[in-house]
Amino acid sequence: MDWDMDVALEIVSSWLGLMNADGWIAREQILGPEARSKVPPEFQVQYPHFANPPTLSLVVAAFLERLQKPALYFGAPSQYLSDIALGTSFLREMYPKLKTNYQWFCRTQAGNLTRYQGPGTSISQGYRWRGRTPQHTLTSGLDDYPRAQPPHPEELHVDALSWVGSMVITLSKISVFLGEIEDRRTFARQEEEIIQSIEQAHWSEPDQAYCDTTITHRTTPRKVCHKGYVSLLPFCLGLMVPNSPHLGAVLDLTHDPEELWSSFGIRSLSTKDKYYGTEEDYWRGPVWININYMILERLLELARQRGPHQSKASEMYIQLRLNLVNTVFNSWNATGFAWEQYNAKTGKGQRTQHFTGWTALIVKILAMPPIPRTSSSQGGGISNEAVDARGSSTQLYIFAMVTAFFVYSFRRRLNKLWRMLC
């Protein structure tokens, strides 16, 4: 959307327009025999009680932010941003659809909370991804990420609850903008319940991390901790405020080179986990730019706010931004491609090549602002100007322009193809 807001909004509107009366949107839109021939048979049948991460709400939230602060947008001329009445009309059209999708998600992915209630606990929100198998939770988007074994119908997934929180935050912001006061009160209460439930149902004090929860053979709740991206989702999706009691532990986990931190970005799974680098090794260690971008966004927010973790967040932001730029650039320089993911041990690109999907976020990372080091963070490590000096190199400039061009071209072609098919 930073390249062409109107095209992005047309795509979002089209996707939301595919919603059925209950609020379900199919994950795959396999239109025609040619497209079907490219999709494995096991992925062609889709179920209206299977949910996926509701990332469309993030796009609408980003549009609202730019509608309120047009100076943040530098893309192609946008009728929705130049005419606030038109932009507001778009939000009014999307708002009830987003609410319907949110209600469907909560209804179909709701967890059984009966066994989680007890003295001193008040867990009112809990969710689990439907469609899970012992080996995969494809619906979560983190396909082979380790989960509790064996699967249990009463287990709760911290990432599912975090995504519900993300939807509530977006809907709350829209309700305020549109003057829907009663909705705003409802969403404010739900956001508070979600944050409380994350702390009570998913925080593991011994592990100092957010974890999935399951039911043991003794019918009692038990935390199942596989430290990695799942543990960071409450932070990534904006559900931890600067004075959160567990924010320091989350930052420590992220910054620990024996856990998630690497010279090439944040690993998807801790090196201490018994499943690290095993079997398919898809979400069990490799670095993914989309999750790293979300981490960077939160670190930047913390670095700009006074608080107990400002200095640490500043240092992590500077280092992680440089690491990611170097990782993607060096791999592109060696192979000529942007890749789906990057090896956490070597930094080499792997899996799908010419991947101008979320890996194109590296262009947004390059555009992120530099921040000064705080006095307590001076000393060893990279210089404050390193990433920006890197960003001014001729080769990196060419890389950024080539990536941006492919992304821009891809979006327009996708939109044209969509119009033809519809």
Side-chain angles (χ1 to χ4, degrees):
M1 69 191 318
D2 286 333
W3 283 267
D4 194 319
M5 177 66 72
D6 292 1
V7 168
L9 295 183
E10 188 172 343
I11 293 171
V12 168
S13 177
S14 181
W15 271 99
L16 290 174
L18 295 170
M19 184 188 306
N20 70 7
D22 293 328
W24 174 65
I25 304 173
R27 172 178 174 171
E28 311 285 351
Q29 298 299 326
I30 312 167
L31 307 176
E34 182 179 358
R36 191 171 295 276
S37 69
K38 305 294 184 182
V39 180
E42 62 267 27
F43 298 131
Q44 293 185 15
V45 177
Q46 299 175 71
Y47 302 92
H49 60 288
F50 285 8
N52 303 110
T55 52
L56 288 176
S57 66
L58 299 179
V59 181
V60 179
F63 166 65
L64 175 58
E65 182 183 24
R66 285 156 180 78
L67 185 63
Q68 294 173 309
K69 300 176 183 178
L72 296 174
Y73 180 70
F74 299 97
S78 168
Q79 58 177 339
Y80 292 103
L81 293 180
S82 59
D83 184 346
I84 191 168
L86 188 60
T88 302
S89 176
F90 176 84
L91 286 174
R92 286 199 181 279
E93 182 184 352
M94 296 300 107
Y95 181 58
K97 295 179 180 180
L98 290 170
K99 283 203 325 182
T100 300
N101 182 241
Y102 161 70
Q103 292 161 354
W104 167 84
F105 191 107
C106 293
R107 185 171 61 253
T108 60
Q109 309 306 298
N112 186 339
L113 305 180
T114 305
R115 301 185 196 274
Y116 293 91
Q117 308 303 335
T121 62
S122 178
I123 300 171
S124 58
Q125 301 266 356
Y127 301 89
R128 68 177 177 88
W129 300 106
R130 299 319 197 252
R132 159 156 142 71
T133 68
Q135 293 79 29
H136 296 97
T137 313
L138 299 178
T139 49
S140 73
L142 307 175
D143 302 10
D144 65 336
Y145 194 97
R147 303 281 181 170
Q149 295 295 343
H152 194 285
E154 293 178 273
E155 67 188 20
L156 300 176
H157 300 139
V158 63
D159 52 330
L161 178 55
S162 299
W163 279 111
V164 171
S166 173
M167 283 192 283
V168 166
I169 290 173
T170 295
L171 289 168
S172 180
K173 291 177 179 177
I174 298 174
S175 67
V176 170
F177 183 80
L178 297 179
E180 301 289 344
I181 305 303
E182 192 58 38
D183 280 2
R184 172 64 185 102
R185 294 194 185 100
T186 299
F187 292 132
R189 184 182 69 254
Q190 291 174 350
E191 182 179 348
E192 185 177 334
E193 291 175 354
I194 288 167
I195 292 174
Q196 184 180 57
S197 296
I198 288 174
E199 296 299 327
Q200 294 191 0
H202 293 290
W203 177 257
S204 171
E205 193 62 27
D207 296 284
Q208 289 291 287
Y210 293 107
C211 312
D212 289 342
T213 307
T214 192
I215 301 296
T216 68
H217 65 282
R218 297 176 182 173
T219 70
T220 56
R222 176 176 65 90
K223 305 292 192 308
V224 179
C225 282
H226 295 286
K227 297 178 183 178
Y229 286 170
V230 160
S231 311
L232 304 183
L233 257 294
F235 174 66
C236 290
L237 292 170
L239 296 166
M240 301 185 73
V241 295
N243 61 353
S244 170
H246 298 136
L247 181 56
V250 171
L251 293 179
D252 288 343
L253 170 64
T254 308
H255 203 211
D256 187 346
E258 295 185 2
E259 297 272 16
L260 302 181
W261 187 273
S262 81
S263 299
F264 309 106
I266 306 303
R267 302 181 182 99
S268 45
L269 188 65
S270 169
T271 61
K272 295 182 178 180
D273 195 285
K274 66 179 181 179
Y275 293 107
Y276 177 77
T278 61
E279 298 183 21
E280 296 173 34
D281 194 18
Y282 197 44
W283 291 91
R284 297 187 176 189
V287 173
W288 294 77
I289 301 301
N290 49 351
I291 304 295
N292 274 264
Y293 174 77
M294 295 168 72
I295 295 170
L296 267 183
E297 282 193 308
R298 298 288 86 80
L299 290 174
L300 179 59
E301 287 180 3
L302 286 176
R304 287 173 158 174
Q305 301 178 52
R306 291 189 179 278
H309 308 292
Q310 183 181 24
S311 176
K312 185 177 186 67
S314 299
E315 183 72 18
M316 290 174 65
Y317 171 81
I318 292 169
Q319 292 179 350
L320 179 57
R321 182 170 170 246
L322 176 63
N323 289 348
L324 293 171
V325 169
N326 281 336
T327 297
V328 179
F329 170 70
N330 289 339
S331 186
W332 175 82
N333 203 32
T335 67
F337 294 108
W339 294 81
E340 181 180 8
Q341 58 175 218
Y342 293 84
N343 190 291
K345 298 176 182 177
T346 66
K348 292 182 179 180
Q350 57 189 33
R351 301 282 180 169
T352 305
Q353 63 184 27
H354 54 74
F355 197 88
T356 50
W358 51 67
T359 300
L361 285 168
I362 198 65
V363 180
K364 288 177 66 66
I365 291 173
L366 281 165
M368 289 176 117
I371 57 173
R373 288 181 184 272
T374 58
S375 57
S376 61
S377 64
Q378 297 289 349
I382 64 172
S383 69
N384 186 39
E385 295 77 18
V387 66
D388 302 293
R390 183 65 154 162
S392 64
S393 74
T394 302
Q395 282 185 305
L396 192 56
Y397 177 79
I398 294 172
F399 161 67
M401 291 302 100
V402 168
T403 305
F405 171 77
F406 276 112
V407 173
Y408 186 73
S409 299
F410 173 74
R411 297 303 183 203
R412 288 196 171 278
R413 289 174 184 173
L414 177 61
N415 185 53
K416 182 178 180 181
L417 177 62
W418 187 268
R419 288 171 177 165
M420 290 172 61
L421 292 173
C422 294

